[in-house]
Amino acid sequence: MAMTMSDSGASRLRRQLESGGFEARLYVKQLSQQSDGDRDLQEHRQRIQALAEETAQNLKRNVYQNYRQFIETAREISYLESEMYQLSHLLTEQKSSLESIPLTLLPAAAAAGAAAASGGEEGVGGTGGRDHLRGQAGFFPSPGGASRDGSGPGEEGKQRTLTTLLEKVEGCRHLLETPGQYLVYNGDLVEYDADHMAQLQRVHGFLMNDCLLVATWLPQRRGMYRYNALYSLDGLAVVNVKDNPPMKDMFKLLMFPESRIFQAENAKIKREWLEVLEETKRALSEKRRREQEEAAAPRGPPQVTSKATNPFEDDDEEEPAVPEVEEEKVDLSMEWIQELPEDLDVCIAQRDFEGAVDLLDKLNHYLEDKPSPPPVKELRAKVDERVRQLTEVLVFELSPDRSLRGGPKATRRAVSQLIRLGQCTKACELFLRNRAAAVHTAIRQLRIEGATLLYIHKLCHVFFTSLLETAKEFEIDFAGTDSGCYSAFVVWARSAMGMFVDAFSKQVFDSKESLSTAAECVKVAKEHCQQLGDIGLDLTFIIHALLVKDIQGALHSYKEIIIEATKHRNSEEMWRKMNLMTPEALGKLKEEMKSCGVSNFEQYTGDDCWVNLSYTVVAFTKQTMGFLEEALKLYFPELHMVLLESLVEIILVAVQHVDYSLRCEQDPEKKAFIRQNASFLYETVLPVVEKRFEEGVGKPAKQLQDLRNASRLIRVNPESTTSVV
């Protein structure tokens, strides 16, 4: 009883919700007024939710209950559509056949057509119709084979056949706009990947008298295709692919810049495809040749009105006829000229660049000093299009996107053919751009070692070797060309040197290496740069100009370090003799001073291990001479004043300290010791600095001479308070 009441309540609720005048807001308002509390509302909510779930389940059950019937119905509809297309095709063929039969044979042909049509109708019910259509996927009669007149019913029948077949191909209606176009051959093929020989898709080929249409199958619509590609026979090359089981019965179509491989059903159909493609291309070429000959044929001379037909013309007033100048004809009927565009397409597709350029040279030599009638202009237009395609391929070969392996010699093939095509400037630009990318890649791939000098050795080897190889290859490729190319190479070398200096400076100067390390690195770079002089390329001035700022900064930085160190030692100076404690230490100091150029250091050594000089003066001497030696390794004329001013600033710090100490010291014994250090500084160190600077630079420095002469004030009048500066 409770179940019955529940079912009746659910039915009543369903009818209420399904009523046309149901308003949710009003229903909820009434429900809230009638309910006793939250519990009634919750129960009512659960009933509505259960009703919603039940409704959803019923809907799903109704949808899926007849799912199989839906599929079967759709399949039958698809089959019926395919049969209707086949029936339409058969009727159209029979109609065109009847129209092409002469009137005398019309009764017999009509009977045969009726029998064939009835057979076609029987085939619709089973598989006979489809078999008949598959049999028609072969040769079609040529334009003149069906009737005596090319504009007769045979042409119309072929046009109808083409129209009927192309109605089954989606997206190719524009093909019907070409007058005189008809179907030659068609059939099923399987396309394979040209690189991996993997099966791609099933296609159907439609060969017209001037083009080839490729359409893909529509699996959901039997007998229907979708337009895939259209290729003109002028730019199409057919290549037989040798059987290599299980890959057999294949042929390749070459269309710049792509190629496609197709597999026929068997060897016979493959042979038919190859033969009909070649025959159709040959027929098209012959048709074009005849059109060119007709266009190039001279017009007949104008007819002269005779006296019999013109009795009113006076003999005395008759003017002599001016003969027309007959336009010279150019023989373009030779086979190699007719096949030249196709041969160029094959050469480009097979990457036979030399063969393509040889053909172009042969044509240019043949047409040299010949007039340019319309057939020649048309031929040149076709050839110019191939030249453009060939140029694009060669440009791509030299692009930095291609592999940069193989060095400069790998570009010789493309560069030489571009030069032969008259594209010398473009070849030069692309060659240098390719080599710039190769140099940049080689530098970027270098591993940054912990030792800076080791990295610089590798960097110089990689860069200057690449530059040398590029220069030699450039001289080979562009020998005998415009001298402007050599100017472009010099500009490129300047740019490449800038790339090298960026990497060099980042590793040597930006990392704040010592002056000695920087000097060794610059020396290595100069030595490699001088090797380019063997081929007549001197880039030393370029590397100097690019490094001058970095070297100036390094000299200035190291000068400031020496000055600060000298000032620090001066502040702690006690003017005492040096005690080296051991003979070994004294011997080592003598060797260091001798390497600095101080040959008379023995006279400043005392008994045992004493040295009659201050530690400050000895340290200053070693540091100054070390700075000078390293700076001379970096020297070039642009740095002359920078180096000289740095030396003067460093020496003045020591000179001013000695002068000040000599004037301020009151102890006679210390004063004598200071005077001895001053004598060593002015009479030994400064002449050595001046001499070594002159040897390294090649000319004396007046500033150093003036600085040494100013020291006479101290030697002549040590009690004077006059400053050296």
Side-chain angles (χ1 to χ4, degrees), residues 351 395-405 434:
R351 299 172 58 82
V395 168
F396 178 71
E397 288 292 314
L398 292 174
S399 64
D401 298 334
R402 298 282 289 172
S403 177
L404 298 174
R405 298 177 181 177
N434 179 282

Side-chain angles (χ1 to χ4, degrees), residues 225-240:
Y225 312 97
R226 178 180 288 114
Y227 171 80
N228 178 263
L230 181 68
Y231 303 106
S232 173
L233 294 184
D234 291 331
L236 187 70
V238 187
V239 179
N240 183 20

Side-chain angles (χ1 to χ4, degrees), residues 628 644 647-648 651 686 689-691 693-694 701-709:
L628 178 58
L644 189 57
L647 275 176
V648 170
I651 294 173
L686 290 183
V689 171
E690 186 178 343
K691 179 182 178 182
F693 184 88
E694 185 175 352
K702 185 176 181 301
Q703 289 87 340
L704 294 177
Q705 293 176 357
D706 295 341
L707 184 60
R708 185 162 57 87
N709 293 333

Side-chain angles (χ1 to χ4, degrees), residues 421-533:
L421 289 174
Q423 303 282 345
C424 182
T425 303
K426 180 177 290 186
C428 176
E429 177 186 354
L430 293 171
F431 172 78
L432 296 178
R433 188 184 303 170
N434 179 282
R435 297 313 305 155
V439 172
H440 177 71
T441 302
I443 292 176
R444 189 176 56 187
Q445 290 177 350
L446 270 180
R447 292 181 57 187
I448 299 179
E449 305 288 348
T452 301
L453 188 58
L454 178 60
Y455 172 80
I456 294 302
H457 272 286
K458 292 183 178 180
L459 176 64
C460 292
H461 175 74
V462 168
F463 174 76
F464 286 102
T465 300
S466 299
L467 197 61
L468 186 61
E469 292 177 352
T470 302
K472 291 180 179 179
E473 184 64 26
F474 187 89
E475 191 172 4
I476 294 173
D477 292 345
F478 295 92
T481 58
D482 186 10
S483 59
C485 293
Y486 289 90
S487 301
F489 177 78
V490 173
V491 174
W492 174 85
R494 168 70 171 77
S495 175
M497 188 65 74
M499 187 190 313
F500 164 76
V501 169
D502 288 342
F504 182 92
S505 298
K506 186 178 297 184
Q507 188 67 17
V508 175
F509 296 107
D510 293 353
S511 58
K512 305 298 181 183
E513 293 289 340
S514 64
L515 191 64
S516 59
T517 302
E520 286 297 327
C521 293
V522 173
K523 181 181 177 183
V524 171
K526 286 183 179 179
E527 290 174 353
H528 279 82
C529 191
Q530 290 171 358
Q531 295 177 1
L532 298 176

Side-chain angles (χ1 to χ4, degrees), residues 123-136:
V124 172
T127 59
R130 289 191 293 273
D131 293 340
H132 181 74
L133 178 61
R134 189 178 299 113
Q136 296 297 327

Side-chain angles (χ1 to χ4, degrees), residues 78-90 124:
S78 177
Y79 288 161
L80 180 61
E81 183 181 11
S82 176
E83 299 293 347
M84 292 301 295
Y85 274 116
Q86 294 171 13
L87 179 60
S88 174
H89 170 68
L90 291 173
V124 172

